[in-house]
Amino acid sequence: MSRARVEERVFGVLRWVVIAFLALITLLPFCYMLLLSVKPIEALLLDPGRLWVPVEELTTATYEEVLRPTDEGGQGFVRMLVNSAVVSLGTVALTLLAAVPGAYAVSRLRFAGGRHVGVLFLAVYLFPATLLAVPLFVMFARMGLQGSLAGLAIVYIAQTVPVSVYMMRNYFHTVPRGIEEAAALDGCTRLQTVRKVVLPLAVPSLTATGLYVFMIAWNEFLFALLFLAAKPERWTVSLGLQQLAGGVEVSKTVLMAGSVVLTVPVVLLFLAAERLLTEGLAGGADKG
Amino acid sequence: MTPRTPTEPETSDEPEGRGGHVHVRARRAPRAPRRVPTAAQRENRAGLAFVTPTLLVVLVVVVLPIAWTVLLAFQDARLIDIQGMGLFGHWTTDNFRAVFGSPGFWTSLTTTLVYAAGGTAGSVLLGLVAALALRGPFRGRGPLRAAMLLPYVAPVVAVAFVWQVALSPQYGIVGEWGRRFLGWDRPIAFLTTRDHEVSVAGVEFEVPLALLTVIAFETWRYFPFAFLFLLARLQAVPGTLEEAATVDGATVSQRFRHVLLPQLMPVIALLSVLRFIMTFNKFDDVYLLTGGGAGTEVVAVRVYEFLTARYDVGAAAAQALVLAVVLMGLLGLYFAFFADRTGEEA
């Protein structure tokens, strides 16, 4: 057999092995999480290696404990879900407001220092969150903003604006210039052109960017820990879950139920808009 | 870009300008000899007007805080005094002397480097393998592609706990299965073992187990990111290139080596740089998995410890700054040697 034939066979088989392996490592941890969350803790301790739960053992007590308000002996995750939603939606709104004009300017207009500004927006992306954490921590302590959800949303802008500018810039590049020129000929000012012509065309991109920003804000942990740790009534789900894990009295199965509660909203959102999001993120990858 | 003929009057470029009335004004002959701005000038003004809000936000929430970090690093700042302290206290390099002098710092910098290099290499390589495997269409490719992005999309706190539970020596599935199917004497404590003895072919040596585990976590969590970008690039490779190579008798591996890889190189380089930067600065993954114990204390975790456990703002800022400077140095070296490969734009 020729080398080409051998290789074709080998790589043909290898490809399926790889696909199976990838499916396993990406899906198994999530199945494991889901499974433990409906298992009684005794069953887990008795036989940690078993991957299935008999129907008669299934329990939802873990979810009840996680979701029940704290004054009824639960962990109060409903309130945390609300907090997370408020911060995340606020971050999306603030980020889009801040990033849209800059992304448009950088992608479309030639102006003095334009290239430098474009580079700055990307460079900002490279600075470590820890570098920002120190002064923001001090600033918030000073202004008494610790424990404020609005303050947290403002901090998140630092992490989301650069990515948003990058994602939207790629999209604005694809809007044909002719459309804008036509609008200008019809007497639209630049601002009107953007508002009435460019933005409606960019709705898919705005949605993708908004979703991605929502995920960043929903999943964020460091700044929530720094700013909200002292105020349990303001905890986001991420922070609440981590704080729960620190206590010994909460069983692992309840923790897993909390993990599911934290993961489900963002995964549902992602699956609903997967194509849009991946194209928005990887757009520009084929430019080399 | 083709320059447009200046059909709009100059006022129309002001964001407040109202399109309805300008035409009337435009028809009037210009009384004053004031020159109508060229298209380029108007575009310049519009560009500045549009970029200003974004620029201001970035300056306030990113650039100013970073500048302040630099100032704090050179001051003897504790959180208790900060309330009364002016922006410029008395200057000192004590923080840096203390940071460089403390025994844990150099170890943690090395740990950070190993962690960043390992996490980057792992996630980009696995991402490349995944992109190649999922390149051709097959039944269920769409759902699988979506599923493969889950580790990247899911909240870090949740996935870190799943790993913690799964790897736990008491109730974790990995230890149990290892005992059952791989013949381990007892479950391995992946996240709390600094050095693990391994014997391969009679030769015994120690591996930094906890560090390798967090690197594996990093690889697992971020390979979807590389996968996404590489798959997008792969799908843009013209099919004729590969067909020609096949006709010329190139095997699968030769086609990858000589046709695909050169096409992918710019994206791989860019991904490597991005992932390295992100991993180098990573805090939450390591903090959540090991709390910085068992030989996994990266600099970012130290910064957090100094800030919240010791309230030593100055030392925290100094370490964050050293981290950033080291990173910039590495990036500088990288671009000095490989600038031609990365392509000029992201």
Side-chain angles (χ1 to χ4, degrees):
Chain A
M1 224 172 6
S2 71
R3 176 176 163 191
R5 292 282 297 280
V6 173
E7 275 197 17
E8 223 137 277
R9 288 259 173 94
V10 170
F11 283 109
V13 173
L14 212 57
R15 176 162 169 252
W16 289 105
V17 174
V18 167
I19 288 174
F21 170 74
L22 290 171
L24 206 68
I25 63 166
T26 49
L27 288 173
L28 207 57
F30 293 94
C31 295
Y32 185 63
M33 174 163 93
L34 207 62
L35 195 92
L36 290 201
S37 73
V38 292
K39 206 173 182 177
I41 181 75
E42 300 80 26
L44 170 67
L45 294 176
L46 218 61
D47 185 3
R50 209 177 49 185
L51 255 187
W52 69 92
V53 196
V55 185
E56 66 272 15
E57 267 189 15
L58 282 180
T59 174
T60 52
T62 47
Y63 286 92
E64 281 161 33
E65 181 179 345
V66 152
L67 294 174
R68 215 167 20 207
T70 36
D71 46 6
E72 290 169 35
Q75 306 298 348
F77 264 50
V78 172
R79 169 186 265 171
M80 294 181 201
L81 283 167
V82 173
N83 287 343
S84 279
V86 167
V87 175
S88 308
L89 291 175
T91 306
V92 170
L94 288 174
T95 303
L96 288 184
L97 217 59
V100 166
Y104 178 77
V106 170
S107 82
R108 255 308 194 255
L109 303 169
R110 284 202 179 170
F111 56 97
R115 281 194 73 89
H116 301 283
V117 173
V119 170
L120 173 75
F121 286 162
L122 271 184
V124 155
Y125 188 52
L126 312 182
F127 279 105
T130 38
L131 207 58
L132 288 171
V134 181
L136 290 173
F137 183 69
V138 172
M139 205 150 79
F140 275 56
R142 220 172 172 175
M143 287 161 44
L145 269 177
Q146 259 175 326
S148 144
L149 292 180
L152 196 61
I154 292 171
V155 170
Y156 286 171
I157 298 179
Q159 323 213 312
T160 54
V161 160
V163 196
S164 308
V165 168
Y166 168 77
M167 279 174 77
M168 289 189 288
R169 190 191 67 169
N170 282 342
Y171 189 84
F172 285 140
H173 272 308
T174 65
V175 175
R177 241 170 226 285
I179 294 181
E180 282 180 61
E181 282 163 19
L185 282 175
D186 285 344
C188 281
T189 64
R190 179 71 74 174
L191 195 65
Q192 285 171 326
T193 310
V194 171
R195 214 181 53 216
K196 293 185 182 160
V197 180
V198 179
L199 284 188
L201 280 172
V203 164
S205 166
L206 294 182
T207 316
T209 311
L211 277 169
Y212 190 60
V213 169
F214 184 91
M215 282 178 191
I216 294 180
W218 183 274
N219 295 352
E220 207 284 335
F221 170 69
L222 169 61
F223 287 107
L225 177 66
L226 278 174
F227 297 132
L228 303 177
K231 291 220 171 145
E233 74 275 11
R234 298 279 161 76
W235 286 353
T236 58
V237 193
S238 277
L239 180 60
L241 190 61
Q242 186 266 344
Q243 299 279 334
L244 261 194
V248 264
E249 66 281 0
V250 184
S251 72
K252 297 295 163 194
T253 50
V254 172
L255 271 183
M256 287 298 111
S259 300
V260 173
V261 168
L262 169 60
T263 309
V264 160
V266 76
V267 164
L268 283 185
L269 211 61
F270 165 75
L271 291 178
E274 191 255 338
R275 181 123 313 184
L276 196 65
L277 206 99
T278 51
E279 274 162 20
L281 256 182
D286 57 354
K287 280 190 307 196
Chain B
M1 187 210 85
T2 50
R4 277 182 291 126
T5 44
T7 45
E8 309 163 59
E10 50 175 305
T11 48
S12 71
D13 237 52
E14 248 71 80
E16 302 82 23
R18 286 283 165 268
H21 307 288
V22 287
H23 274 291
V24 187
R25 262 189 272 153
R27 297 246 168 71
R28 273 186 216 145
R31 278 163 298 175
R34 233 182 98 196
R35 221 161 43 82
V36 174
T38 64
Q41 279 172 321
R42 281 185 293 116
E43 189 165 323
N44 181 38
R45 253 196 279 161
L48 290 174
F50 270 100
V51 89
T52 304
T54 312
L55 194 59
L56 279 178
V57 168
V58 167
L59 285 179
V60 170
V61 297
V62 185
V63 179
L64 276 183
I66 288 174
W68 198 12
T69 310
V70 178
L71 293 184
L72 283 170
F74 287 99
Q75 293 172 51
D76 180 21
R78 311 230 154 218
L79 197 61
I80 301 109
D81 330 316
I82 279 269
Q83 290 290 348
M85 220 175 68
L87 197 54
F88 306 96
H90 51 282
W91 301 101
T92 168
T93 52
D94 283 356
N95 291 323
F96 290 97
R97 236 172 292 155
V99 164
F100 291 134
S102 68
F105 176 74
W106 295 106
T107 328
S108 80
L109 196 58
T110 318
T111 308
T112 312
L113 273 170
V114 173
Y115 172 63
T120 304
S123 60
V124 174
L125 274 178
L126 189 56
L128 178 63
V129 169
L132 289 170
L134 265 76
R135 191 180 170 213
F138 57 88
R139 262 177 83 120
R141 190 179 83 137
L144 183 62
R145 190 179 90 146
M148 274 191 31
L149 299 171
L150 282 181
Y152 178 63
V153 171
V156 60
V157 180
V159 287
F161 278 131
V162 174
W163 273 59
Q164 242 177 20
V165 170
L167 294 176
S168 153
Q170 287 99 43
Y171 40 74
I173 191 166
V174 175
E176 182 65 23
W177 282 21
R179 227 169 20 178
R180 214 180 281 176
F181 304 115
L182 300 174
W184 298 351
D185 304 336
R186 56 198 152 86
I188 297 170
F190 285 94
L191 291 167
T192 49
T193 311
R194 182 185 293 267
D195 295 304
H196 185 72
E197 276 195 11
V198 190
S199 69
V200 176
V203 185
E204 299 222 334
F205 56 97
E206 293 194 325
V207 291
L209 189 61
L211 185 57
L212 287 178
T213 311
V214 291
I215 289 175
F217 179 80
E218 189 72 15
T219 300
W220 174 79
R221 192 159 131 73
Y222 289 103
F223 90 85
F225 184 76
F227 160 74
L228 201 63
F229 279 76
L230 288 166
L231 189 67
R233 185 66 191 85
L234 266 179
Q235 275 160 354
V237 174
T240 45
L241 273 181
E242 275 184 281
E243 280 164 32
T246 314
V247 169
D248 287 344
T251 66
V252 179
S253 64
Q254 284 168 335
R255 289 202 300 265
F256 170 72
R257 169 76 188 75
H258 298 287
V259 179
L260 291 183
L261 200 58
Q263 297 268 323
L264 292 178
M265 237 15 238
V267 182
I268 291 178
L270 178 71
L271 277 171
S272 304
V273 173
L274 277 182
R275 284 287 7 125
F276 188 85
I277 292 166
M278 294 301 158
T279 318
F280 197 76
N281 297 320
K282 202 88 209 150
F283 163 81
D284 32 15
D285 300 37
V286 178
Y287 179 78
L288 287 166
L289 279 177
T290 67
T296 61
E297 191 183 51
V298 293
V299 177
V301 172
R302 265 175 81 89
V303 172
Y304 172 78
E305 295 290 337
F306 273 77
L307 196 58
T308 57
R310 309 194 198 178
Y311 296 110
D312 193 342
V313 175
Q319 294 195 46
L321 198 59
V322 171
L323 191 67
V325 169
V326 170
L327 183 60
M328 278 184 239
L330 290 173
L331 284 181
L333 277 178
Y334 177 85
F335 283 113
F337 286 106
F338 299 104
D340 50 326
R341 279 212 205 160
T342 49
E344 59 146 350
E345 223 173 307

